[in-house]
Amino acid sequence: MKIPGERFFWMLLPLLHLVAQAADHAEVARHVIKLHRGRGAALTPRRQWVLDSCRKLSGLLRQKNVVLNKLKSAIRVVEKDVGLSKEEKLFQVHTFEIFQKELNESENSVFQAIYGLQRALQGDYKDVVNMKESSRQRLEALREAAIKEEAEYVELLAAEKHQVEALKNMQHQNKSLSMLDEILEDVRKAADRLEEEIEEHAFDDNKSVKGVNVEAVLRVEEEEAGAKHNVTRGEGEGGLGLSMLIDSQNNQYILTKPRDATIPRADPHFIKDIVTIGMLSLPCGWLCTAIGLPTMFGYIMCGVLLGPSGLNSIKSIVQVETLGEFGVFFTLFLVGLEFSPEKLRKVWRISLQGPCYMTLLMVAFGLLWGHLLQIGPTQSVFISTCLSLSSTPLVSRFLAGSARAEKEGDIDYSTVLLGMLVAQDVQLGLFIAVLPTLIQAGAGASASVAMALLRMLVLTGQILFSLAAVLLLCVVMKTYLVGPYYRRLHVESKGNKEILILGISALVFFMLTVTELLDVSMELGCFLAGALISSQGHMATEEITSYTEPIRDFLAIVFFASIGLHVFPTFVVYELTVLVFLTLSVVLMKFVLAALVLTLILPQSSRCIKWIVSAGLAQVSEFSFVLGSRARRAGIISREVYLLILSVTTLSLLLAPVLWRAATTRCVPRPERRPSL
């Protein structure tokens, strides 16, 4: 009779949760033990253990009620306290409420475990259906617990934000903010306003949507969000549509690898995004052409209109940006086609010295301003290095429509400019490799200064070794492989030009893969692939250019539209004065530093081109988006600084065509007219 007695006890024990709200928990525990012992069981050590466990449970529940009453009293005291600001009250009340929820959830978890044990004791080990149902109930409980835990974590983040608000408010009341803190405080408010405007709240908005399956994330079937008929779970999983997963942080995920690979699938969101970009880019490009602006403005405008700050119709932002990267690859490949090894040898000293001097000067100025504005050295070095980079794809578009005549004994400005940009791409690879060291320094790692310097030297040595390996590979390929490879492609492509295009693309992808494996930027591999093809002569260069330019043009449209996805006009309007001042300061500083460096390193006969090259280097590279996002995730820079870098980069890219046109109009001599006979 021991087993029926134990079952009877476990059936009565869950009633503690209901009776605890109306009676004393110790009395309930004694009553349960008395009922259990009344069935003839003697007071054994096992029964004593049950009695002690019930007393402990009763004591914990009593203590929980005492704490809840104290928290309620504390909330009332905080709400009535006149000496606290609104932000401080909000932070303290929010923290108390989160702790109340945690206590209640912990109690519910205890009794849910007791209910589960009761169901297991009442079940039959031979009944598979019953065990399956119990397992399903536990799985649903775990899913709900995961959602609640995620929501509690989000609330903790919100409480932390309220704490920061309270600290900022106290600092503002004490009037101890520096000039930089005041600017960042203003930027932070504008950033909060921007996030509120573009926040979709997809997780909360889809909780009650019909057809949503909650599994720690929301899974929204393609046809179910606006479906006119009900679709069962089994039919939705077996259909040809793609599910979208939305977590509580409003990140959206698209299926990349289905479980059943026999069924062909496609991402309709990505297809619609590319189609929309292609259709809207045409009128935007026409408009810019009509008013005398470069067409890239129209493509960026297209991204702004379709992005989060506009119509918000782009769903696959990551996929669009990934496709836009191929526009960068083919742009640099075509740049390499026009940049022969002979030109590279002519300016290799200038290409190496110029970017190095500019970066060192930018970092020095950044540390100086950081010391004056009380910014940490790690953050100052990162921001200065980010701003020292220039956009290779943008300058390549400028050079594509420029007439460049090279005089005897002079150096063509396009050769100097492209050489320096390629060297900056190498610096980008070096900076990405050194970024983990900056992250450790920004996190206050305990490593000594000597170890940090040693790590920097090791990373620099690795990059130099990789560059030497890439250079050796290019020499070997130019001497033994590229010529036979191109001639074979040319023979095989008679009447079938797609073989030639595919073969050239394969060479580009091979070179970018090699440079990526050697921890050098992939963009450098694309440039070197073009330079290797250009060594085969002028006819080969013209043929390859005519075939690959249409591909480059379409992918470049996607690339500039992806830049527009990161432009937030409302934020620019909120902080227009600060952003315009910062952008003009950065552009002017880069222009002056570039002109100073070029004056020192250019030959005396070619110094007249320094203004054009300086104008080409004055903007900020779009790769600062990537570096800034990595630094923000790593905690090197704050959200406000990241938005400032983003906005300054975008405005400098928009200002670059104006500066370039002014420099070329003033400095490039017009072709002389021959006198008529």
Side-chain angles (χ1 to χ4, degrees):
M1 297 298 296
K2 290 183 179 180
I3 296 179
E6 292 180 359
R7 286 188 178 180
F8 179 73
F9 165 72
W10 288 111
M11 291 173 61
L12 288 177
L13 186 56
L15 296 176
L16 283 172
H17 180 53
L18 300 176
V19 183
Q21 299 177 358
D24 185 75
H25 297 287
E27 294 294 333
V28 176
R30 284 195 292 271
H31 183 61
V32 172
I33 299 302
K34 188 184 294 182
L35 288 175
H36 184 61
R37 293 180 60 190
R39 302 183 62 85
L43 186 58
T44 61
R46 185 171 185 178
R47 269 56 180 183
Q48 185 64 38
W49 175 83
V50 174
L51 179 60
D52 294 340
S53 300
C54 290
R55 285 174 178 170
K56 289 180 181 178
L57 179 61
S58 174
L60 286 175
L61 293 176
R62 188 188 304 111
Q63 186 179 0
K64 176 244 178 185
N65 286 332
V66 172
V67 173
L68 285 180
N69 292 331
K70 289 184 178 180
L71 288 175
K72 291 178 183 177
S73 304
I75 289 176
R76 287 194 295 268
V77 170
V78 168
E79 290 176 345
K80 294 179 182 178
D81 194 350
V82 223
L84 296 177
S85 64
K86 182 180 178 182
E87 291 80 7
E88 291 173 330
K89 287 183 180 180
L90 189 60
F91 164 66
Q92 295 188 16
V93 171
H94 200 167
T95 308
F96 291 153
E97 290 176 348
I98 291 175
F99 193 59
Q100 285 179 338
K101 290 181 182 179
E102 187 172 351
L103 291 174
N104 293 327
E105 289 298 329
S106 301
E107 181 184 355
N108 292 335
S109 300
V110 171
F111 285 101
Q112 283 177 3
I114 294 176
Y115 290 144
L117 182 57
Q118 178 186 357
R119 287 195 304 268
L121 288 172
Q122 292 174 350
D124 186 2
Y125 67 90
K126 294 182 180 180
D127 190 358
V128 180
V129 177
N130 187 29
M131 287 190 289
K132 180 182 177 182
E133 180 64 22
S134 300
S135 177
R136 188 192 64 80
Q137 291 178 0
R138 287 195 299 272
L139 182 61
E140 292 295 333
L142 288 174
R143 289 171 178 171
E144 293 177 2
I147 292 294
K148 291 179 180 178
E149 195 66 31
E150 187 98 24
E152 184 176 344
Y153 179 73
V154 172
E155 289 188 359
L156 287 172
L157 293 179
E160 186 180 14
K161 183 178 179 180
H162 293 154
Q163 184 182 24
V164 174
E165 292 276 353
L167 292 175
K168 292 286 186 181
N169 188 57
M170 290 177 58
Q171 291 178 354
H172 184 69
Q173 289 178 353
N174 295 333
K175 297 181 180 180
S176 59
L177 292 177
S178 63
M179 182 180 67
L180 177 65
D181 292 332
E182 291 179 357
I183 294 176
L184 291 181
E185 175 68 17
D186 194 22
V187 172
R188 182 187 59 79
K189 293 179 180 179
D192 290 338
R193 198 179 306 129
L194 173 67
E195 287 187 353
E196 290 176 1
E197 291 176 356
I198 67 175
E199 185 67 35
E200 293 187 23
H201 299 286
F203 185 81
D204 296 327
D205 296 342
N206 286 277
K207 278 184 179 178
S208 57
V209 175
K210 205 168 187 178
V212 170
N213 184 27
V214 180
E215 298 182 9
V217 294
L218 293 184
R219 185 177 66 200
V220 183
E221 299 294 340
E222 181 189 3
E223 299 294 337
E224 288 180 350
K228 298 181 181 178
H229 57 280
N230 294 330
V231 181
T232 64
R233 178 178 174 181
E235 292 172 347
E237 291 178 351
L240 297 179
L242 295 179
S243 299
M244 176 183 293
L245 300 182
I246 307 173
D247 65 8
S248 59
Q249 302 296 323
N250 291 319
N251 296 312
Q252 300 182 11
Y253 305 89
I254 303 294
L255 179 67
T256 57
K257 185 178 181 181
R259 181 180 60 182
D260 186 4
T262 61
I263 302 176
R265 300 173 187 260
D267 186 356
H269 302 291
F270 181 52
I271 296 174
K272 292 177 183 176
D273 293 342
I274 296 301
V275 169
T276 308
I277 289 175
M279 290 191 301
L280 189 58
S281 295
L282 178 62
C284 292
W286 271 349
L287 178 62
C288 289
T289 305
I291 61 179
L293 292 176
T295 54
M296 57 159 284
F297 279 121
Y299 308 146
I300 295 177
M301 188 191 310
C302 171
V304 174
L305 294 175
L306 298 176
S309 58
L311 300 176
N312 196 22
S313 62
I314 300 293
K315 301 299 180 184
S316 303
I317 293 181
V318 176
Q319 288 82 351
V320 170
E321 291 179 347
T322 304
L323 183 61
E325 281 299 306
F326 284 90
V328 177
F329 296 156
F330 280 95
T331 298
L332 292 177
F333 169 70
L334 288 175
V335 169
L337 282 178
E338 298 181 359
F339 201 77
S340 63
E342 289 74 18
K343 292 182 178 180
L344 186 62
R345 282 195 296 268
K346 188 182 297 185
V347 297
W348 73 274
R349 291 183 182 273
I350 301 173
S351 301
L352 290 180
Q353 294 177 5
C356 292
Y357 293 157
M358 283 191 61
T359 303
L360 291 176
L361 289 174
M362 286 289 292
V363 171
F365 275 99
L367 290 173
L368 176 62
W369 281 103
H371 177 71
L372 295 176
L373 299 176
Q374 298 180 352
I375 304 175
T378 302
Q379 192 170 349
S380 300
V381 170
F382 174 82
I383 296 174
S384 304
T385 311
C386 251
L387 298 179
S388 67
L389 301 175
S390 303
S391 175
T392 305
L394 182 66
V395 177
S396 303
R397 299 283 291 186
F398 294 160
L399 295 176
S402 302
R404 305 182 298 274
E406 186 174 354
K407 298 180 181 180
E408 292 293 333
D410 288 347
I411 301 177
D412 185 12
Y413 68 84
S414 64
T415 307
V416 176
L417 187 52
L418 290 176
M420 296 181 68
L421 290 172
V422 170
Q424 285 190 352
D425 290 336
V426 176
Q427 286 184 354
L428 176 65
L430 175 62
F431 187 57
I432 291 176
V434 177
L435 191 59
T437 305
L438 286 177
I439 293 174
Q440 293 178 2
S446 58
S448 62
V449 179
M451 290 299 297
L453 290 176
L454 180 61
R455 190 182 300 112
M456 295 278 287
L457 291 176
V458 170
L459 290 173
T460 305
Q462 290 177 353
I463 293 295
L464 294 177
F465 175 78
S466 300
L467 290 175
V470 170
L471 181 60
L472 180 62
L473 177 65
C474 290
V475 171
V476 173
M477 291 183 64
K478 179 181 179 297
T479 308
Y480 301 104
L481 299 177
V482 175
Y485 178 75
Y486 175 74
R487 287 191 293 271
R488 183 67 178 176
L489 281 178
H490 196 273
V491 170
E492 295 292 337
S493 64
K494 292 298 184 181
N496 190 9
K497 301 301 181 183
E498 61 191 41
I499 295 294
L500 181 60
I501 297 176
L502 184 60
I504 296 301
S505 301
L507 177 63
V508 175
F509 298 152
F510 170 75
M511 290 300 297
L512 72 88
T513 303
V514 169
T515 52
E516 195 270 338
L517 289 176
L518 293 174
D519 291 330
V520 188
S521 65
M522 293 186 290
E523 292 75 17
L524 178 62
C526 301
F527 175 83
L528 293 176
L532 289 174
I533 293 296
S534 68
S535 64
Q536 300 306 306
H538 183 68
M539 297 296 295
T541 300
E542 285 191 348
E543 183 181 21
I544 299 300
T545 302
S546 63
Y547 292 151
T548 54
E549 265 189 343
I551 304 175
R552 188 276 311 270
D553 291 339
F554 174 74
L555 294 175
I557 291 174
V558 180
F559 168 71
F560 286 112
S562 67
I563 290 180
L565 298 177
H566 299 281
V567 179
F568 305 105
T570 52
F571 179 77
V572 175
V573 171
Y574 295 150
E575 300 297 325
L576 183 61
T577 306
V578 174
L579 292 177
V580 169
F581 174 75
L582 291 177
T583 304
L584 292 177
S585 301
V586 170
V587 170
L588 182 61
M589 180 180 295
K590 292 190 68 175
F591 182 83
V592 171
L593 291 179
L596 176 63
V597 169
L598 291 173
T599 302
L600 297 176
I601 63 176
L602 279 177
Q604 191 70 30
S605 59
S606 303
R607 289 184 180 179
C608 59
I609 67 174
K610 64 181 179 181
W611 306 114
I612 304 177
V613 178
S614 301
L617 298 174
Q619 28 70 32
V620 183
S621 172
E622 69 281 350
F623 287 106
S624 60
F625 298 157
V626 181
L627 295 174
S629 63
R630 292 187 183 183
R632 184 189 172 191
R633 287 195 299 266
I636 296 180
I637 60 176
S638 62
R639 178 192 59 170
E640 292 78 25
V641 175
Y642 171 69
L643 285 175
L644 287 177
I645 293 177
L646 202 67
S647 302
V648 168
T649 301
T650 305
L651 291 178
S652 70
L653 292 175
L654 296 178
L655 185 62
V658 180
L659 188 60
W660 175 263
R661 183 174 297 178
T664 52
T665 304
R666 185 177 183 84
C667 300
V668 176
R670 296 181 180 179
E672 299 179 357
R673 294 183 179 180
R674 295 182 179 180
S676 57
L677 296 177

